[in-house]
Amino acid sequence: MIGAPPVALDEARRRLRELGYLDGRVDRFLFRRAFEGRGGLFLPAVVLSAFAAALASTAAVESSEAGFGASLAAVAVLFVHLFLADLVPAALAALVASKLADRARAPGALAAAAALAAAGAVVALWVGGVWSLVRNLPARALLWGVPIAAAAFVAATAVRGGVLARAYAHSRVLPSRRRSRFALASAALLVLAGALTLLGLRGEAVPAPPPKPSPRSGAVVVIAVDGFSDGTEAEAGRDLADLFAAAATGWWPAHPASPPEIWTDLATGEPPESHGVRALERVRPRFSPAAVRAPLGTSWYLRRVGPALGLVRGAPVSASDRRRLAFWEVAASAGLPAQAVGWWASGAWPGAEVVSNEELLAGARDGLGADRRARDLFRRAVGGERIRTVYLPGLDILRGQPEARRAALAETASFLIEEIRAARTRGDAVVVLAASSHPAAASLGRMLVFDGAERKTVRIREEDVAPSILARAGIPVSRDLAGRPVDALFAPGALDAETVPTYGARVAPRETRRSTDREYLEKLRSLGYLN
Amino acid sequence: MALPDHPFERFAAAQRPGLEGELRRALPETSPDTLARAVSDAVLSPGKRFRPLVALAAGELASAPAETARAVAVATEFVHAASLVLDDLPSMDDARRRRGRPALHVVHGTATAELVAVLLVARAFELVGGAEGASPATRTRLTRELAQAVEACCSGQGDDLAARPDALRLEDLESIHARKTGALFVAAVRGGAIGGGAREAELEALTRFARNLGLAFQITDDLLDLEGDAEVMGKDRAREGHRANFARLLGAESSRRLVEELSAAAVEALGPLGRRGRVLADLARVVRERRA
């Protein structure tokens, strides 16, 4: 019978290590478990992979969201959210890897492949995450490459060790591991070099030279009316109906989408996947002081699972979400004064007088008030603008309130008639964008042009609107836009035929917010947008 | 149900007949007959042959010529047999039984047993010094490795005899056993690999393996000394209770844990050798599971 031992187990371990025993490195933990037939061989791989993935996604957000990194709390909270979320896919991947390891005839090759896949996924989350959020990457973002490469390497090593240990536990045969460390390190370096090169070569990191406008008299007035489906003019009275009937009209099939998405399509001449504005809301992880956009690989959690669990809240859309220039921003960049009131995802822009949607709605109690405020702000133009535009949200906000909507429609009709006549008197072109963020089945979106062209109706695309307005304002159209100017809707020879290769990236000035996310969201909610 | 894959047992089963024959053929030719019989008894009594099998496995993984690996294996077993003969002497452990039989000095007398030990050690050096298939440089290196192991055995035994069991620290015990038993285990592994011209990195990995597994082997031995069946062990336990012992120092449960961890560390050390190390890796399992 052995009595109480003089040396405790932990003490014995420590002292034996000092004597050169139990001297394995990272794999010791895994192989010991494998040897003893215990589970959890992939635990380090799952934890370290989730860590690396969360780091990559957090880096993508930090690199692309101006001011986000200034709040360490925001960075830390986002990281913790993503880390916990990433444990799930990491565990699933580990499950697959463990099954493959059980069946592997060449565990060493499988381990190296799994490790490379893990490292590649981490780097892809970083590069793809940045790419999905921003095109004007600050140089300091590349500094993230160092910790991300280190995290990817550690995760890859853990994955490799997990696969090897699992294969060993299953077969009791050691796989070949010669030179694999060197190969793995080389591959990781190559992936990193590729990522850095990719990021470094991004041509859109700086804005293109501003387009040179042609000398042209007259301006373009753009009045955007949300909730104005085809046929609404008949409700508004004969005058407006007659006026609209005389316009050259381009139409497109309306489709349900969020108001910011539809109206940003029209403002930029690009589809949502290009301009980046998708929804009314961004996301704010619980306890985070800042809202973010969900980078590549995180939407499943930040937009779906997190909100369902109450761990993530929405935050309103803002101008920093938009990656392409709106038509008034192109004009201002070309040196032409511009005015824009009330558009979604709009914000301050050098050379333009911009009243954002947030500012517009902040001072409005309802749809009627929003339209009145928009019209009032629109009329305060200093004069001399080449492009003036206003977005009227009232009819859309009031779609469930027939009486108020009728009043709003009457005011909108008067405004349209008045502005169209005044503009035509001045020789300005008028473009009325009549569309609905909540379209009925088979309804249409329309661009009604009052520019002296004969009455006609042609099918166009939403993306054709912005290039048409720009061409009419005498600004060369970018050839990389999805849309094209529609000559048929304007007076012959009225559109500028010049083109430029690109308008470049939208390098936005720092956003100055006049309200908090909560206030803007509450306003949107009170107006019926987020119900 | 599929049988588990036990590479070491397959390897041992394949090698053992040839190894036994080689041990018999390599016995030193001597006279008188009583001394020759004693030498034969010392070597050919039934044993596990871990050390020569380990030397052969290391030789195989390093692609050593078969004659060279066999020379190292037999020399190692001769030195081990000599150490057992000396260990059992009345002046040392005074054991009466070994490998299930009366100890050599009990059957042939102390003087003959001492001569047997000297003869076997001398023959061991003769074997590695003239190993066929090995270059002169390799032979020299093998001889040096074996000499260092024998020196370590002697000094470890000396310390063991001089030690007060109740005053031994873990470090003292490790030092004694690392020299007394571990050194020959290391020499067997390294010798087989040196015979095949193994690179330094491979030798380093094998040394780590042998050190960790050698200690695991010794702790298991000590556990069996305290808890094992004397009949199964084939050893005389009369004196074992008076010797310093890892199991007594650490406790049975901790000892078992350390055997598992040391065995795992040994397996992990073989990592750089890849599949070539599978036989030795499986030996770690055998050591962990041994009951005699």
Side-chain angles (χ1 to χ4, degrees):
Chain A
M1 184 73 185
I2 302 173
V7 180
L9 179 59
D10 285 340
E11 175 68 9
R13 281 192 188 112
R14 186 186 64 74
R15 288 158 71 175
L16 286 176
R17 281 195 189 105
E18 286 175 3
L19 292 169
Y21 296 92
L22 299 170
D23 52 350
R25 294 176 295 277
V26 176
D27 295 345
R28 185 182 65 227
F29 172 75
L30 295 172
F31 271 86
R32 197 172 80 203
R33 297 183 77 84
F35 197 86
E36 294 165 359
R38 289 192 283 157
L41 300 178
F42 278 94
L43 189 60
V46 169
V47 172
L48 292 170
S49 297
F51 179 93
L55 184 69
S57 298
T58 304
V61 173
E62 198 283 328
S63 300
S64 54
E65 294 278 359
F68 176 74
S71 167
L72 285 180
V75 174
V77 169
L78 177 65
F79 175 82
V80 170
H81 273 269
L82 294 177
F83 170 69
L84 294 174
D86 285 337
L87 286 174
V88 177
L92 292 174
L95 188 65
V96 173
S98 68
K99 297 297 177 195
L100 292 174
D102 286 348
R103 292 166 176 72
R105 289 180 180 277
L110 175 67
L116 273 179
V122 170
V123 175
L125 280 175
W126 177 46
V127 176
V130 172
W131 185 267
S132 69
L133 294 180
V134 71
R135 300 299 159 92
N136 51 320
L137 189 70
R140 66 177 177 76
L142 296 180
L143 292 176
W144 277 104
V146 176
I148 288 170
F153 184 77
V154 171
T157 304
V159 168
R160 183 169 163 275
V163 171
L164 290 174
R166 175 76 186 204
Y168 171 77
H170 188 76
S171 67
R172 291 290 177 187
V173 174
L174 277 173
S176 174
R177 301 169 73 196
R178 280 185 300 169
R179 292 191 296 277
S180 51
R181 191 177 299 275
F182 172 75
L184 190 61
S186 303
L189 283 174
L190 280 175
V191 171
L192 178 62
L196 291 175
T197 305
L198 178 65
L199 290 168
L201 289 177
R202 293 172 61 169
E204 292 178 289
V206 292
K212 291 180 181 169
S214 62
R216 175 182 295 273
S217 62
V220 182
V221 176
V222 182
I223 303 171
V225 192
D226 201 348
F228 201 107
S229 317
D230 48 317
T232 302
E233 60 267 30
E235 298 174 43
R238 191 178 184 89
D239 288 350
L240 187 66
D242 289 347
L243 195 59
F244 273 25
T249 303
W251 62 271
W252 62 90
H255 58 91
S258 75
E261 179 178 325
I262 292 174
W263 292 98
T264 306
D265 291 352
L266 298 170
T268 61
E270 294 279 13
E273 55 269 26
S274 176
H275 62 63
V277 176
R278 291 277 191 179
L280 278 162
E281 286 185 276
R282 292 144 71 87
V283 290
R284 183 191 300 277
R286 193 172 177 81
F287 306 119
S288 171
V292 298
R293 288 171 293 156
L296 179 73
T298 62
S299 283
W300 68 273
Y301 171 73
L302 290 175
R303 290 204 179 280
R304 294 186 176 85
V305 177
L309 297 175
L311 298 172
V312 178
R313 287 190 289 115
V317 68
S318 79
S320 63
D321 293 355
R322 181 157 50 80
R323 298 194 298 257
R324 304 304 294 255
L325 293 168
F327 57 81
W328 60 87
E329 292 170 341
V330 176
S333 298
L336 301 175
Q339 179 204 24
V341 176
W343 281 78
W344 291 103
S346 64
W349 190 260
E353 183 63 34
V354 180
V355 178
S356 70
N357 181 268
E358 178 184 351
E359 293 172 77
L360 171 67
L361 298 184
R365 282 187 301 179
D366 54 20
L368 202 57
D371 277 3
R372 285 174 180 163
R373 184 168 156 76
R375 290 192 295 269
D376 182 48
L377 291 166
F378 178 70
R379 286 172 175 140
R380 291 183 196 173
V382 293
E385 294 87 352
R386 181 68 66 89
I387 288 180
R388 295 176 64 213
T389 182
V390 61
Y391 168 79
L392 302 174
L395 295 181
D396 180 51
I397 293 171
L398 298 169
R399 65 188 178 282
Q401 304 168 54
E403 201 162 316
R405 185 176 180 280
R406 255 195 305 278
L409 181 56
E411 292 185 10
T412 300
S414 299
F415 172 71
L416 284 169
I417 292 168
E418 185 183 325
E419 283 298 326
I420 291 168
R421 286 177 178 161
R424 294 306 296 148
T425 304
R426 295 193 302 267
D428 295 344
V430 179
V431 174
V432 176
L433 300 175
S436 177
S437 301
H438 298 81
S443 66
L444 309 175
R446 290 176 295 164
M447 176 170 74
L448 301 115
V449 180
F450 301 88
D451 190 33
E454 64 183 40
R455 173 188 165 186
K456 67 187 70 161
T457 302
V458 296
R459 177 166 181 165
I460 64 171
R461 295 172 299 162
E462 288 168 286
E463 293 87 353
D464 295 333
V465 169
S468 299
I469 294 167
L470 289 165
R472 179 59 184 84
I475 299 166
V477 172
S478 165
R479 291 194 291 274
D480 68 355
L481 287 181
R484 286 287 169 267
V486 185
D487 296 87
L489 297 178
F490 294 85
L495 298 191
D496 193 304
E498 292 295 315
T499 62
V500 292
T502 180
Y503 294 144
R506 181 175 188 272
V507 183
R510 183 178 290 270
E511 211 178 344
T512 52
R513 304 287 303 279
R514 294 181 186 175
S515 60
T516 63
D517 283 349
R518 180 184 292 273
E519 289 167 340
Y520 189 20
L521 274 178
E522 282 176 0
K523 177 58 73 175
L524 290 173
R525 199 166 282 118
S526 75
L527 294 174
Y529 282 108
L530 293 173
N531 292 330
Chain B
M1 185 175 146
L3 287 172
D5 182 25
H6 289 158
F8 181 78
E9 281 162 14
R10 283 210 309 269
F11 178 81
Q15 295 289 336
R16 209 166 251 131
L19 176 65
E20 293 296 337
E22 195 64 31
L23 288 171
R24 191 181 301 279
R25 280 192 293 280
L27 288 173
E29 292 178 8
T30 186
S31 61
D33 287 348
T34 50
L35 183 57
R37 274 200 304 278
V39 168
S40 177
D41 286 352
V43 173
L44 302 179
S45 59
K48 293 179 282 290
R49 312 291 189 222
F50 270 141
R51 291 161 189 81
L53 285 170
V54 160
L56 290 173
E60 186 179 80
L61 77 81
S63 305
E67 314 83 58
T68 310
R70 274 202 301 271
V72 174
V74 171
T76 309
E77 184 62 10
F78 280 7
V79 171
H80 175 56
S83 75
L84 296 182
V85 168
L86 292 172
D87 203 33
D88 290 343
L89 287 175
S91 55
M92 303 216 188
D93 278 4
D94 192 15
R96 311 293 297 173
R97 292 181 67 76
R98 173 67 67 177
R99 290 177 169 172
R101 296 176 177 184
L104 198 75
H105 69 90
V106 173
V107 177
H108 298 283
T110 300
T112 300
E114 288 170 347
L115 291 174
V116 165
V118 175
L119 267 173
L120 287 174
V121 171
R123 178 64 175 146
F125 280 104
E126 186 184 1
L127 286 169
V128 294
E132 291 180 30
S135 66
T138 301
R139 288 174 183 169
T140 304
R141 194 167 176 193
L142 289 173
T143 305
R144 193 184 306 128
E145 291 276 338
L146 193 62
Q148 287 169 351
V150 171
E151 287 166 16
C153 278
C154 291
S155 98
Q157 179 73 354
D159 279 349
D160 195 14
L161 290 171
R164 283 179 44 223
D166 53 348
L168 280 180
R169 299 174 308 135
L170 181 67
E171 287 78 2
D172 301 327
L173 203 50
E174 182 279 331
S175 173
I176 288 170
H177 286 300
R179 287 173 289 157
K180 208 176 134 181
T181 55
L184 193 56
F185 204 78
V186 173
V189 174
R190 285 176 60 87
I194 288 170
R199 291 177 291 119
E200 277 308 315
E202 292 173 329
L203 285 176
E204 187 190 332
L206 287 168
T207 304
R208 282 178 57 210
F209 162 80
R211 272 175 55 77
N212 280 286
L213 197 62
L215 186 58
F217 190 92
Q218 184 59 51
I219 296 176
T220 307
D221 225 30
D222 287 355
L223 265 172
L224 292 171
D225 282 344
L226 288 182
E227 298 181 332
D229 183 331
E231 283 303 313
V232 176
M233 295 279 297
K235 279 205 256 184
D236 183 356
R237 287 172 54 186
R239 295 261 315 205
E240 298 294 340
H242 304 292
R243 290 178 52 218
N245 176 304
F246 277 111
R248 194 173 290 114
L249 191 67
L250 302 169
E253 191 51 41
S254 293
S255 295
R256 277 188 276 273
R257 286 300 305 248
L258 280 178
V259 166
E260 298 205 335
E261 291 176 18
L262 286 162
S263 303
V267 172
E268 197 273 337
L270 292 173
L273 299 167
R275 291 183 61 83
R276 293 184 298 151
R278 64 189 183 282
V279 171
L280 292 178
D282 191 48
L283 175 62
R285 178 192 58 77
V286 174
V287 167
R288 190 174 67 109
E289 294 174 355
R290 74 182 264 245
R291 294 289 176 267

